[in-house]
Amino acid sequence: MKTTQQRHAQRIQRVIDHIHDHLAEDIDSATVAEVAHLSAYHWHRIYVAVTGESAVATLRRVRLQRTATELLRDDRPVAEIAAECGFDNLQAFTRLFSRTYGMPPGRFRHGGKSGIQPQPSSSSNARIGAAADRSGSAGDAPESETVGPVVDESSDARSVTIAERAPLRLIGLWHQGDYHDIGRVFEKIMAAAEIESWPRSETFTVGVYFDDPDVIPEERCRSFAGIPVPEDFRTPDGYETQNVPGGLHASCLHVGPYAMLPRSYRWLYREWLRDAAQDARDEPCYEAYLNTPYNTPPAELETLICMPLEEA
């Protein structure tokens, strides 16, 4: 029998799915209350308490993330992409996009191809060092370079840290399809973790990506969205466990919009790995998300890309 907390989690997850499935539609309070199986007077307060943002803010954030991704994927007119993602007024969309991403959509598209370099927050290096310490690498890791932003293919402002990382036990859900759509899965497991008070062994969330989207058809790409938990935590009903092996890893910090992550991967595989002393291990990369898009501007999002390496 499901607990009250589990029922509330499922209700919020239905709202999250509804928002992602109806991006081009505005939020209708009565409809969403019906989807959530909650009172129209209460569902929104519960949603804000669990997610930390209103449903309208979620819709706006996801719409903007989708447009940013599509702007870098093809050359369709900005107005067409904006309308597809629910923005009917091009001028209003341009103002909102500029306010959120720090530049108009046309410049963002150009920057995604020629290289833009948002600056990391002042705490980036300290936070990534703390993450490495929690992973058990302090004192034992080989000397490494200073971690910096990984967003500009035309610059040398990239750094890689080679260090031992501890294994992780993740509780979460599988996702199959476009990697850029995994956001809804993270939102659902984070809602469950908040409502059901899952214990956490790390402050960050983790995405594990098993297939190369340049080789495997998009609809068959497999990924796992998870939250690191202690070994003795029982996997809740309806969720899966994924173990991430520890060992030697190359880690680089991508600072900037998630839409630009593919460019950091291209640099890591085509440039850095070619000259590296170690070979990549036959295991998937994973990403540790050090902050969240709920309360962080896109230019300051911090994603640690972790590539498993063969031991020397």
Side-chain angles (χ1 to χ4, degrees):
M1 180 179 296
K2 291 184 174 64
T3 65
T4 300
Q5 290 82 3
Q6 289 172 329
R7 288 195 294 272
H8 271 307
Q10 289 185 337
R11 288 165 176 165
I12 296 302
Q13 289 170 342
R14 285 197 292 267
V15 174
I16 291 169
D17 278 333
H18 177 81
I19 291 172
H20 281 263
D21 290 337
H22 299 83
L23 282 185
E25 302 174 13
D26 291 332
I27 296 289
D28 179 79
S29 183
T31 299
V32 176
E34 184 177 347
V35 168
H37 295 172
L38 287 169
S39 163
Y41 297 102
H42 301 305
W43 77 264
H44 191 258
R45 291 186 178 90
I46 294 173
Y47 185 90
V48 172
V50 170
T51 66
E53 65 179 2
S54 68
V56 171
T58 298
L59 177 63
R60 182 170 59 243
R61 173 176 55 78
V62 175
R63 281 176 171 177
L64 286 170
Q65 289 176 344
R66 180 70 60 83
T67 56
T69 297
E70 294 303 320
L71 284 169
L72 300 183
R73 281 182 165 178
D74 61 51
D75 294 321
R76 286 183 296 158
V78 171
E80 180 180 337
I81 293 175
E84 182 181 88
C85 296
F87 297 106
D88 295 328
N89 186 311
L90 181 59
Q91 289 183 331
F93 162 72
T94 300
R95 287 194 300 269
L96 178 60
F97 191 95
S98 300
R99 187 166 66 246
T100 304
Y101 282 80
M103 64 187 72
R107 183 179 164 199
F108 178 86
R109 166 181 273 173
H110 174 74
K113 296 175 181 178
S114 63
I116 67 170
Q117 187 171 329
Q119 294 301 310
S121 63
S122 60
S123 61
S124 294
N125 288 347
R127 294 180 63 188
I128 199 58
D133 289 345
R134 287 195 300 272
S135 296
S137 61
D140 299 323
E143 184 176 350
S144 58
E145 302 171 58
T146 302
V147 178
V150 187
V151 289
D152 183 356
E153 286 184 342
S154 63
S155 80
D156 295 322
R158 300 181 184 86
S159 300
V160 171
T161 296
I162 299 176
E164 294 286 336
R165 298 188 66 83
L168 297 170
R169 177 173 180 258
L170 307 178
I171 299 296
L173 295 169
W174 285 93
H175 170 70
Q176 183 166 324
D178 187 349
Y179 285 161
H180 287 286
D181 290 338
I182 198 174
R184 84 155 74 187
V185 185
F186 275 108
E187 291 170 17
K188 291 167 73 172
I189 63 171
M190 290 172 70
E194 176 68 21
I195 292 173
E196 300 176 33
S197 300
W198 295 1
R200 299 183 65 161
S201 60
E202 301 286 355
T203 58
F204 49 77
T205 55
V206 174
V208 187
Y209 300 90
F210 294 86
D211 300 301
D212 181 351
D214 291 333
V215 177
I216 303 298
E218 182 179 277
E219 65 274 11
R220 290 170 50 196
C221 286
R222 300 161 301 147
S223 53
F224 188 87
I227 292 176
V229 298
E231 287 292 334
D232 59 356
F233 179 58
R234 187 183 69 83
T235 304
D237 293 342
Y239 298 90
E240 304 283 345
T241 300
Q242 179 67 34
N243 293 310
V244 177
L248 195 65
H249 283 73
S251 304
C252 61
L253 185 65
H254 170 100
V255 181
Y258 295 145
M260 290 187 174
L261 274 165
R263 302 175 63 244
S264 293
Y265 275 96
R266 286 196 294 270
W267 175 84
L268 189 63
Y269 276 92
R270 296 176 186 176
E271 303 295 330
W272 181 84
L273 187 59
R274 180 187 59 194
D275 300 322
Q278 295 90 355
D279 292 328
R281 204 188 320 159
D282 189 20
E283 294 170 3
C285 289
Y286 69 89
E287 296 171 5
Y289 306 101
L290 307 185
N291 49 19
T292 75
Y294 301 131
N295 53 18
T296 307
E300 295 181 13
L301 289 170
E302 299 173 3
T303 305
L304 186 67
I305 302 173
C306 299
M307 174 192 289
L309 297 177
E310 294 285 357
E311 298 288 342

